[in-house]
């Protein structure tokens, strides 16, 4: 599944499949290996991107002077990174971002062997170069105590989380669908959200402020993100889910969430054509 | 991503996409909701499937007499359950299986609300009805101490695990590919395995018996499964990965692994046409 690098496979002609076949990505990557030396010579000093940092700071890691900062490397859009941003924001943790807008930045990350599986997201924190969005989120959730108080709570939180991931992934691939497939896909998202996913969470919130146990967990963060995301597409979608609507209200009142929902936060807007174009250029994906 | 229910979406025409659109599944599920009462009346007493147990025992849960047994509900094949079987086997834990061969069994699980997101795998253990393969594996891995000794080891194990999941998922969808797409997909699997995935693990095993730290983890189990799976398709694929080959040898010598590799274990064979047909019938997936 492509959508922004982690599952670097893009089937323009047949929709997305998680790392399934397609000419572009393997070609791209072999290509990039071959071109590695060339790019190393060719690369010019990177500009400093949006927040603060340059890619060259990556070298801090190699010199053992890894920053204590948390730095996210991804596109200037939601994709596979947005749930990570939400988790960090909900935990009240500050982070910086390097926004990938040029192919060269991505190639530099590859050359620096910063990307274990040649995919973003990449999150640098605690001296680690974390890849694979689920591994990254597990780490953040455990570090900031968002994974429940015991093994059974953790299991429930994981189940709710995986369901929300599936739902959000459907939304995530929408902008990469072919124009003639988009409308059908929107229908599927709406159908699944209302018949398969939301009822589960609506029920879990009966007489309960949080999805699991009596404290805030990563599952709550993901649910907040998912419901807002779906309301963007379907403004009245929560009309038959009063618990979800009330839940949103409570979540909004949490200071960290409230802050993340303000304009100017690191929360990313809905994907647009510029985002799609950038992703495809950076990953060197050709439209067949 | 379909492949056996968890990501119940099947695009015969355009490959698989994780829960992306397609006419069948939403239709199927709405259909099944409508037909729920009908099926409830219609269902006859279930036969006892392979190992031991009948679906009716599910009611034990509702009566508070949940069995201490671990029971796996899935198709008679690998799909999304095989890595779970591997984990349990590697941990030396016994489990039973209810093998889904008929649509009615699946509908019964839906009716009993045993499937949180209307998908298998389902694993009953410790009074929980666990769904979502990653949530299930997290639970098993933590319970049986296969997740490392601290947060950083856990992060590395998760990263290696997610990479292996991606690789194995490519193999998993192969039998569901259209005939004219299979050869290309096989090429992609081989390319990605040898250029993106195996080199990472080969390097991690330099001077180390295990992928992470100095003890056996779930990442080792997944790596063993993945390398054997790929060797089935490409018998000489490990010829340029001596560490991986040596790793296999060491893993084989572990008593629990050795036992699971014996004929007659609960390890499942490579998917064949019967498996594919059964999955599609049980999930009521139509070929467009």
């Amino acid at each position: 599944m492509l959508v922004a690098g982690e599952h670097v496979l893009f089937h323009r002609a047949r929709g997305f499949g998680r790392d399934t076949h397609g000419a572009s990505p393997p070609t791209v990557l072999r290509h990039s290996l071959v071109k590695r030396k060339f790019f190393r010579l060719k690369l010019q000093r990177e500009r400093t991107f949006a927040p603060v940092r340059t890619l060259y700071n990556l070298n801090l890691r190699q010199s053992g002077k890894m920053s204590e900062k948390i730095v996210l490397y991804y596109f200037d859009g939601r994709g596979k990174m947005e749930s990570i941003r939400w988790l960090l924001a909900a935990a009240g943790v500050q982070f910086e971002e390097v926004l990938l807008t040029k192919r060269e930045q991505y190639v530099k990350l590859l050359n620096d062997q910063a990307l274990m599986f040649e995919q973003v997201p990449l999150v640098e924190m605690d001296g680690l170069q974390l890849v694979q969005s689920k591994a990254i989120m597990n780490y953040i959730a455990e570090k900031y105590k968002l994974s429940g108080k015991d093994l059974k709570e953790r299991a429930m939180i994981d189940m709710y989380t995986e369901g929300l991931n599936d739902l959000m992934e459907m939304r995530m691939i929408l902008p990469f669908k072919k124009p003639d497939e988009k409308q059908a896909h929107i229908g599927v998202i709406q159908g699944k959200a209302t018949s398969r996913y939301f009822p589960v969470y609506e029920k879990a919130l009966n007489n309960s402020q949080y999805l699991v146990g009596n404290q805030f967990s990563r599952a709550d963060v993901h649910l907040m993100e998912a419901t807002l995301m779906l309301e963007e597409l379907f403004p009245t979608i929560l009309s038959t889910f009063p618990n979800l609507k009330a839940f949103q209200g409570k979540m909004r009142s949490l200071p960290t969430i409230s802050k993340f929902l303000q304009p100017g936060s690191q929360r990313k807007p809905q994907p647009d054509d510029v985002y799609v174009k950038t992703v495809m250029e950076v990953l060197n994906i050709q439209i067949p």
Side-chain angles (χ1 to χ4, degrees), chain A:
Chain A
M1 174 78 59
L2 160 73
V3 178
E6 178 168 298
H7 309 294
V8 159
L9 231 282
F10 183 76
H11 295 189
R12 198 65 187 82
R14 47 173 68 88
F16 288 83
R18 165 181 279 239
D19 257 7
T20 45
H21 79 84
S24 330
T27 314
V28 168
L29 293 168
R30 273 195 296 277
H31 200 204
S32 75
L33 288 170
V34 172
K35 284 205 170 173
R36 191 160 284 188
K37 195 174 172 190
F38 172 74
F39 271 109
R40 193 168 282 145
L41 295 171
K42 181 174 170 285
L43 275 172
Q44 299 178 341
R45 188 156 190 84
E46 300 285 343
R47 281 168 296 153
T48 302
F49 289 95
V52 160
R53 199 175 156 102
T54 75
L55 286 176
Y56 284 99
N57 289 349
L58 267 176
N59 297 329
L60 288 175
R61 188 183 62 100
Q62 278 124 21
S63 63
K65 288 180 284 183
M66 184 81 173
S67 168
E68 287 173 20
K69 289 173 182 172
I70 296 174
V71 186
L72 280 49
Y73 296 82
Y74 201 66
F75 308 100
D76 187 13
R78 293 179 183 173
K80 289 274 177 188
M81 191 63 101
E82 191 69 355
S83 293
I84 295 168
R85 297 183 187 109
W86 265 94
L87 268 193
L88 289 167
V93 181
Q94 295 211 322
F95 59 90
E96 295 175 2
E97 295 189 79
V98 174
L99 301 173
L100 306 176
T101 58
K102 301 285 177 202
R103 174 76 186 152
E104 287 75 15
Q105 292 172 282
Y106 193 70
V107 171
K108 171 93 173 96
L109 287 173
L110 290 173
N111 288 347
D112 287 342
Q113 301 189 14
L115 309 178
M116 183 183 277
F117 300 110
E118 305 175 354
Q119 297 162 327
V120 285
L122 166 67
V123 172
E124 286 188 332
M125 65 189 290
D126 300 337
L128 298 167
Q129 288 186 311
L130 298 169
V131 295
Q132 288 279 4
S133 57
K134 291 189 180 183
I136 297 167
M137 288 193 282
N138 284 348
Y139 182 79
I140 292 168
E142 286 185 60
K143 176 165 179 172
Y144 298 107
K145 313 291 182 202
L146 297 171
S147 290
K149 65 173 166 45
D150 58 29
L151 214 53
K152 288 199 176 183
E153 282 198 2
R154 164 80 193 247
M156 288 304 296
I157 289 167
D158 279 355
M159 288 161 66
Y160 288 136
T161 292
E162 288 290 313
L164 291 163
N165 282 341
D166 289 347
L167 176 60
M168 288 194 277
E169 207 159 81
M170 283 191 271
R171 169 65 182 99
M172 210 181 288
I173 63 176
L174 177 60
F176 296 89
K177 285 276 176 193
K178 283 198 296 190
D180 62 348
E181 294 176 341
K182 284 194 182 181
Q183 208 48 49
H185 188 66
I186 287 173
V188 171
I189 296 172
Q190 188 171 24
K192 291 261 180 82
T194 54
S195 74
R196 179 182 295 182
Y197 294 100
F198 283 173
V200 171
Y201 302 96
E202 178 73 9
K203 186 177 165 192
L205 289 170
N206 267 339
N207 308 312
S208 175
Q209 184 171 359
Y210 304 113
L211 282 174
V212 178
N214 51 14
Q215 76 185 48
F216 183 63
S217 78
R218 66 178 293 189
D220 299 303
V221 182
H222 298 314
L223 180 59
M224 182 65 174
E225 182 189 358
T227 56
L228 291 175
M229 184 187 279
L230 272 283
E231 280 188 314
E232 289 170 347
L233 279 184
F234 315 106
T236 62
I237 198 170
L238 294 188
S239 60
T240 52
F241 300 100
N243 292 342
L244 290 183
K245 200 68 199 170
F247 168 85
Q248 278 187 339
K250 284 178 223 148
M251 291 291 281
R252 270 181 213 281
S253 71
L254 298 178
T256 58
I257 301 283
S258 167
K259 191 175 165 195
F260 194 54
L261 292 174
Q262 299 304 313
S265 83
Q266 285 159 302
R267 186 177 173 222
K268 297 291 179 278
Q270 295 190 60
D272 59 14
D273 291 348
V274 174
Y275 169 73
V276 172
K277 186 165 171 287
T278 305
V279 169
M280 298 179 72
E281 282 175 4
V282 170
L283 298 180
N284 199 9
I285 291 166
Q286 316 291 342
I287 300 181

